[in-house]
């Protein structure tokens, strides 16, 4: 291995790969219990919802934090499945308007931007994702936006924000990922919206 190996991405891929199977197995077990009719009620519904959310989050993290690949494509159905899996536990409504499969490395940037948006919208809002040619446009809108300029301003300059904490690591990975793809990030922040293009 070369000294340029991205061990953080490899670790992210490994963790997600190892977790997806047992979480999926728990979901399958719950589905079988539901079919027998032995266990019903709010408790089972809560467990089922939690497993579905965990499954969707692991699939999101696998793309966002894992090893990026231009050669690997991710289908629209898989992307919509991840977004829909996250929806029940999120205050943010996401509208994915990109048709067809996209490269995993580009999807990684889109998912990282969406995670940044989520941090800036603690009271909810909407995210719209579109693509025209090679140009991606992601728009977050919220009447109670909390866009931290210490995080967003450096990203707009292609820089990594200083003093990142684990909960905001996506703000560092987004400009880094864009640089790896030789993409220029543009960020526009208003009182009620954040727009990211690359």
């Amino acid at each position: 291995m070369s000294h340029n190996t991205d061990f953080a991405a490899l670790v992210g891929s490994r963790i997600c790969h190892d977790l997806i199977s047992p979480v999926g197995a728990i979901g399958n077990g719950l589905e079988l219990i539901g079919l027998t009719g032995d266990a019903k009620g709010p408790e089972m519904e809560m467990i089922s919802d939690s497993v579905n959310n965990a499954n969707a989050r692991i699939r999101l993290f696998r793309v966002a934090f894992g090893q990026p690949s231009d050669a690997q494509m991710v289908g629209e159905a898989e992307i919509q499945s991840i977004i829909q899996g996250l929806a029940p536990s999120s205050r943010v409504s996401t509208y994915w308007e990109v048709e067809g499969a996209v490269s995993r490395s580009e999807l990684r940037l889109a998912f990282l931007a969406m995670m940044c948006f989520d941090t800036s919208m603690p009271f909810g809002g909407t995210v719209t994702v579109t693509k025209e040619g090679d140009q991606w446009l992601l728009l977050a809108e919220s009447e109670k936006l909390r866009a931290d300029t210490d995080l967003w301003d450096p990203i707009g300059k292609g820089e990594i924000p200083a003093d990142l904490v684990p909960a905001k690591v996506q703000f560092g990975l987004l400009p880094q990922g864009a640089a790896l793809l030789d993409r220029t990030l543009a960020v526009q922040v208003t009182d009620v919206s954040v727009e990211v293009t690359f």
Side-chain angles (χ1 to χ4, degrees), residues 20 23 45-61 76-96 111 114:
I20 197 76
V23 170
E45 188 174 327
M46 185 188 306
I47 295 170
S48 180
D49 288 346
S50 295
V51 169
N52 290 337
N53 180 260
N55 194 313
R57 282 189 177 277
I58 291 170
R59 291 187 293 152
L60 171 75
F61 294 160
E76 184 179 353
E78 171 68 8
I79 297 167
Q80 292 284 8
S81 173
I82 293 170
I83 291 170
Q84 289 167 11
L86 295 169
S89 65
S90 177
R91 294 178 179 176
V92 177
S93 299
T94 302
Y95 302 97
W96 184 268
F111 277 1
M114 289 163 60

Side-chain angles (χ1 to χ4, degrees), residues 101-172:
V102 298
S103 73
R104 183 169 175 162
S105 56
E106 288 187 339
L107 180 62
R108 179 178 189 245
L109 290 186
F111 277 1
L112 286 169
M114 289 163 60
M115 291 174 70
C116 292
F117 289 159
D118 195 57
T119 302
S120 299
M121 296 191 293
F123 302 104
T126 63
V127 170
T128 306
V129 183
T130 58
K131 183 173 184 265
E132 188 172 329
D134 290 334
Q135 180 88 359
W136 287 77
L137 189 149
L138 296 94
L139 177 64
E141 298 175 291
S142 173
E143 292 182 2
K144 296 181 179 179
L145 191 70
R146 298 289 184 268
D148 186 343
T149 54
D150 288 340
L151 296 170
W152 285 108
D153 285 353
I155 289 177
K157 299 172 186 172
E159 299 171 359
I160 295 173
D163 303 321
L164 286 174
V165 296
K168 296 177 181 174
V169 68
Q170 59 271 21
F171 286 93

Side-chain angles (χ1 to χ4, degrees), residues 33-48:
I33 291 172
L35 290 173
T36 63
D38 290 340
K40 292 183 179 178
E43 298 86 357
M44 283 299 292
E45 188 174 327
M46 185 188 306
I47 295 170
S48 180

